[in-house]
Amino acid sequence: MDALRIILQILLVLTSFLVVLLVLLHKGKGGGLSDMFGGGVTSNASSSGVAERNLNRITIGLAVLWAVVIVLLGLIQRVSA
């Protein structure tokens, strides 16, 4: 059970880092924090619609995996206590 917990904790750290990175890669929609840091001056040709959709899919998939890992870690903690 300890090996599974360690593997899930490592997976949690990796997915957390990747989700943050992927969210930061998204194109700003305007009016938010992205404009404050110069996101409002980007050109329209910076990303295509297909690339943005794929980025959305990858981000959502990793966020779901992140949530599943958290639930599994909680269940393991509950069983071992």
Side-chain angles (χ1 to χ4, degrees), residues 8-32:
L8 287 174
Q9 287 173 344
I10 291 170
L11 191 59
L12 180 65
V13 169
L14 289 175
T15 55
S16 298
F17 178 73
L18 288 174
V19 166
V20 168
L21 184 69
L22 288 175
V23 166
L24 290 174
L25 284 176
H26 279 276
K27 185 170 64 171
K29 301 297 184 214

Side-chain angles (χ1 to χ4, degrees), residues 18-69:
L18 288 174
V19 166
V20 168
L21 184 69
L22 288 175
V23 166
L24 290 174
L25 284 176
H26 279 276
K27 185 170 64 171
K29 301 297 184 214
L33 285 176
S34 62
D35 283 343
M36 184 184 303
F37 298 111
V41 293
T42 58
S43 66
N44 289 337
S46 63
S47 67
S48 66
V50 175
E52 189 71 25
R53 276 193 304 246
N54 288 336
L55 186 61
N56 287 339
R57 291 177 184 148
I58 294 169
T59 305
I60 291 170
L62 271 176
V64 168
L65 177 64
W66 178 80
V68 168
V69 169

